[in-house]
Amino acid sequence: MDLYIDRNELIQGLSRVQGIVERRSTNMALSHVLLSADGECLRMTATDTMLSLVGEYVARIETEGELTVDAQGFFQIAKSLPAQTVHLQSVAGNRLAIKSGSAEFHMVGLSAEDYPPLPGRDESMNLQIPGSNLKKLIEETIFAVSADDNRYGLNGAHWEEITSSNGEARIRVVTTDGSRLAYSEASYDGDFGMGRRMLLPRKALAEIRKLCETVAGRSENDAIWEIGFGERSATFSTTGLTLMVRLIDGDFPDYRQVLPNGLKRKVTVDQKALIDALRRVAIVASDRNHSVRFVFEPDALVLTAQNVDMGDAREEIPIELDGEPMYTGFNVRYFQDILSAVKSEKLEIHMGESLDPCVVKLPDRDDCLFVVMPMRLD
């Protein structure tokens, strides 16, 4: 293998694989990136056996070949190189020679034959979606994925096809950890080929979101992503990038049964005012359960928090209340996660009684919804 590549192109490729490779694996190959010089590009492959990322980067190939090297170490070296052009060459003993300006490194690598095989792609139909919409779907739901890997069915994001009220076909992503629920929708083109299970792991969601950001940062146009679902895997691809994901072996619960309806109170509140107020009272909220009392008065929301070690806090912000006054308690972080995920001038909080789950909506959107379970404060 012998090639020349732009330093920024090399750094971009190596930065994308950092979240994929395993740092503490007993299989050394899983901490490596596979470099493949072929045609007019350098192909970088990383896998942890659950996720596999393949990226193609423009390079001048003098001699084709393959080699694997430690991904983190190579990334650190690439960022330190002084010149814009980088010369990569495989040398005897599965070593990689890296030259740029006055700098020269030699990395110990492994044979490409020792690299784990990539999963097969068994999807039969594909849909297309703009990168901005794909990123939105993930940002508005990833926070509600259960962090407990033993909670099968809740430790991933459920993807499904739905039809909106105006007859538009949409893809819906739903997540829940048992205490809260989030869903977000977006329109798409093509065919939604659903497999038996449609649960994507949290790590895959985080990596797709990062890839959407890096692709958007390098183009003035909104990149189109193609998504294919199979029985056991999903593939997300755009120009020069392919991410293959092994789906979680579990069944997502029937979330529609827990969606509240007929709620008789509606609160309209300024989002920024609520963000600022929650941020202040959260300082005092108990570290154990992060509980905050929400008192809904006719024209104000009063937030209070207590901590036996610190003291207490009180905050009041104006609201519009349609219904009878009431009070309840919530985990303040659940609301903060929602507010961090959406951007709107106003929010609507729909409630029943004090121990009923509440629904958070955006007044100008019908494609997302959030449910939060209350807390007992006595």
Side-chain angles (χ1 to χ4, degrees), residues 149-166:
D149 288 336
N150 293 321
R151 301 195 69 182
Y152 299 109
L154 303 185
N155 59 340
H158 171 71
W159 295 58
E160 67 179 15
E161 180 187 31
I162 62 105
T163 303
S164 67
S165 58
N166 62 2

Side-chain angles (χ1 to χ4, degrees), residues 48 62 76 89 101 123 147 162 164 168 170 248 280-281 285-287 322 325:
D48 66 356
E62 302 290 338
Q76 296 302 319
Q89 185 178 29
E123 71 278 0
I162 62 105
S164 67
E168 178 187 37
R170 291 180 181 174
I248 294 174
R280 287 189 285 267
V281 298
S286 168
D287 293 335
D322 182 4

Side-chain angles (χ1 to χ4, degrees), residues 129-372:
I129 184 172
S132 58
N133 286 350
L134 179 58
K135 181 171 176 280
K136 175 183 71 70
L137 287 173
I138 295 172
E139 284 185 335
E140 294 181 348
T141 55
I142 189 172
F143 61 85
V145 177
S146 175
D148 185 355
D149 288 336
N150 293 321
R151 301 195 69 182
Y152 299 109
L154 303 185
N155 59 340
H158 171 71
W159 295 58
E160 67 179 15
E161 180 187 31
I162 62 105
T163 303
S164 67
S165 58
N166 62 2
E168 178 187 37
R170 291 180 181 174
I171 187 169
R172 175 184 283 181
V173 179
V174 192
T175 59
T176 182
D177 61 7
S179 297
R180 52 183 168 171
L181 179 146
Y183 75 61
S184 182
E185 303 168 1
S187 58
Y188 66 89
D189 295 319
D191 297 311
F192 191 107
M194 291 200 303
R196 183 168 55 91
R197 294 184 174 90
M198 302 298 297
L199 280 174
L200 265 72
R202 174 193 285 270
K203 183 177 179 179
L205 299 175
E207 291 305 316
I208 296 167
R209 177 175 59 182
K210 287 193 294 186
L211 291 175
C212 288
E213 291 173 348
T214 62
V215 170
R218 306 192 74 189
S219 173
E220 295 180 358
N221 301 317
D222 196 355
I224 299 299
W225 284 77
E226 188 170 88
I227 307 174
F229 290 104
E231 286 296 314
R232 296 180 179 86
S233 66
T235 302
F236 294 76
S237 59
T238 189
T239 304
L241 282 175
T242 300
L243 181 72
M244 290 165 281
V245 182
R246 184 182 298 174
L247 299 176
I248 294 174
D249 188 12
D251 294 315
F252 197 72
D254 184 0
Y255 68 92
R256 289 177 175 84
Q257 291 186 353
V258 301
L259 294 179
N261 52 53
L263 301 178
K264 56 187 180 182
R265 294 177 174 88
K266 183 179 81 170
V267 173
T268 305
V269 60
D270 180 84
Q271 179 176 348
K272 185 178 185 308
L274 184 57
I275 289 173
D276 293 341
L278 290 176
R279 175 174 51 82
R280 287 189 285 267
V281 298
I283 297 172
V284 176
S286 168
D287 293 335
R288 183 172 60 87
N289 53 23
H290 312 289
S291 61
V292 170
R293 181 184 293 266
F294 286 60
V295 180
F296 297 95
E297 298 179 347
D299 57 0
L301 168 59
V302 180
L303 303 166
T304 58
Q306 294 182 334
N307 188 313
V308 294
D309 297 319
M310 291 184 63
D312 56 70
R314 183 183 187 277
E315 186 80 25
E316 183 175 324
I317 56 175
I319 61 171
E320 297 176 15
L321 173 61
D322 182 4
E324 295 296 318
M326 66 168 285
Y327 74 89
T328 187
F330 291 108
N331 183 322
V332 66
R333 291 193 174 178
Y334 291 173
F335 265 88
Q336 288 179 310
D337 287 342
I338 294 171
L339 295 170
S340 297
V342 300
K343 296 177 175 62
S344 179
E345 182 179 345
K346 300 287 186 180
L347 288 180
E348 291 180 358
I349 304 174
H350 297 256
M351 299 174 296
E353 301 303 328
S354 60
L355 294 180
D356 293 336
C358 83
V359 172
V360 180
K361 296 181 179 180
L362 277 61
D364 56 346
R365 289 178 54 186
D366 67 348
D367 60 354
C368 64
L369 179 143
F370 311 93
V371 180
V372 182

Side-chain angles (χ1 to χ4, degrees), residues 51-100:
L51 302 182
S52 300
L53 176 65
V54 180
E56 296 181 350
Y57 304 92
V58 176
R60 191 174 88 239
I61 309 298
E62 302 290 338
T63 304
E64 296 183 348
E66 291 185 307
L67 181 69
T68 84
V69 293
D70 181 80
Q72 186 179 17
F74 193 12
F75 185 42
Q76 296 302 319
I77 290 172
K79 291 190 294 183
S80 73
L81 296 176
Q84 198 62 34
T85 300
V86 181
H87 182 200
L88 304 179
Q89 185 178 29
S90 58
V91 295
N94 290 322
R95 295 169 70 89
L96 178 67
I98 307 163
K99 300 178 183 179
S100 175

